[in-house]
């Protein structure tokens, strides 16, 4: 439905090495329903996916805050997620969405940033299978499912899950804040 998310502002947080489809597919899905999208990255200019997709950067995590947006999308990719979880401004930006009870969608390796933000304890989640132990050690209830929604937190495993991930991301953004989406 075109215009379903008209007026909703969504931040994407990524850096070089993201999984191309995990950025481009949700971006296109959200754009198609009228959301206003902003690419946030610790890099300036543009970032490049592991397979060559280029994405222009609109702002750094230190220039924006969760209150500027209605939701956050975290694409995966090992290199991307590993760099973001060591960037204090990126971690603080992601954590802000939980403090404000706003929807967050994370796929593949992206939950590493959420572990670092300290927001996964007690949450039911999925991810790329290699993060299972990391998430469980951080207190999450990890499950091997295509897509999991836990009070505004949407998680998926791999690019094969993008159709379900995109649909649930659109749905959760449309529903808005969830008071149980918190740190």
């Amino acid at each position: 439905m075109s215009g379903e998310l008209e007026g909703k502002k969504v931040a994407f947080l990524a850096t070089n090495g993201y999984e191309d489809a995990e950025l481009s597919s949700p971006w296109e899905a959200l754009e198609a329903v009228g959301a206003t999208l902003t690419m946030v990255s610790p890099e300036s200019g543009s970032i490049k996916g592991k397979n060559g997709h280029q994405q222009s950067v609109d702002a750094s995590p230190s220039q924006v805050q969760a209150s500027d947006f209605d939701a956050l999308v975290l694409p995966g990719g090992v290199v991307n997620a590993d760099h973001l979880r060591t960037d204090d401004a990126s971690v603080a930006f992601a954590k802000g969405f939980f403090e404000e009870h706003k929807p967050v969608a994370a796929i593949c390796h992206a939950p590493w940033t959420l572990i670092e933000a300290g927001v996964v304890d007690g949450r039911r989640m999925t991810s790329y299978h290699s993060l299972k132990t990391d998430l469980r050690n951080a207190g999450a209830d990890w499950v091997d499912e295509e897509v999991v929604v836990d009070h505004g937190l949407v998680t998926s495993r791999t690019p094969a899950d993008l159709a379900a991930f995109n649909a649930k991301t659109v749905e959760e953004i449309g529903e808005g804040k969830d008071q149980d989406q918190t740190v």
Side-chain angles (χ1 to χ4, degrees):
M1 287 194 312
S2 179
E4 181 180 346
L5 295 184
E6 198 72 41
K8 298 284 187 174
K9 296 183 282 184
V10 180
F12 277 67
L13 177 61
T15 192
N16 291 310
Y18 59 86
E19 181 69 44
D20 297 47
E22 293 173 358
L23 189 150
S24 63
S25 180
W27 187 280
E28 291 165 4
L30 289 167
E31 199 169 52
V33 293
T36 301
L37 309 176
T38 301
M39 186 69 243
V40 179
S41 177
E43 299 295 324
S44 60
S46 68
I47 54 175
K48 188 174 181 179
K50 72 176 200 167
N51 294 319
H53 177 265
Q54 294 262 349
Q55 184 69 43
S56 295
V57 172
D58 300 306
S60 76
S62 60
Q63 295 173 316
V64 292
Q65 50 196 359
S67 61
D68 299 330
F69 302 97
D70 297 295
L72 173 66
V73 176
L74 296 164
V78 176
V79 173
N80 167 60
D82 193 45
H83 283 105
L84 288 178
R85 70 180 174 160
T86 63
D87 181 71
D88 292 341
S90 294
V91 171
F93 180 62
K95 186 174 185 170
F97 286 85
F98 290 83
E99 292 168 342
E100 297 198 11
H101 315 288
K102 294 180 177 180
V104 174
I107 188 168
C108 196
H109 286 80
W112 266 343
T113 302
L114 302 180
I115 291 170
E116 195 64 34
V119 296
V120 303
D121 189 22
R123 304 304 293 264
R124 187 170 184 272
M125 302 175 67
T126 194
S127 66
Y128 191 71
H129 65 87
S130 67
L131 273 67
K132 172 175 58 175
T133 300
D134 294 344
L135 282 163
R136 285 182 174 160
N137 285 344
D141 174 17
W142 187 91
V143 294
D144 185 13
E145 296 177 12
E146 179 181 51
V147 64
V148 175
V149 179
D150 184 316
H151 298 288
L153 174 60
V154 179
T155 53
S156 281
R157 302 169 301 191
T158 70
D161 300 331
L162 279 166
F165 178 74
N166 292 345
K168 285 299 184 182
T169 298
V170 169
E171 181 181 322
E172 289 300 305
I173 294 170
E175 290 176 4
K177 290 184 177 186
D178 184 319
Q179 291 308 309
D180 291 323
Q181 169 72 316
T182 188
V183 292

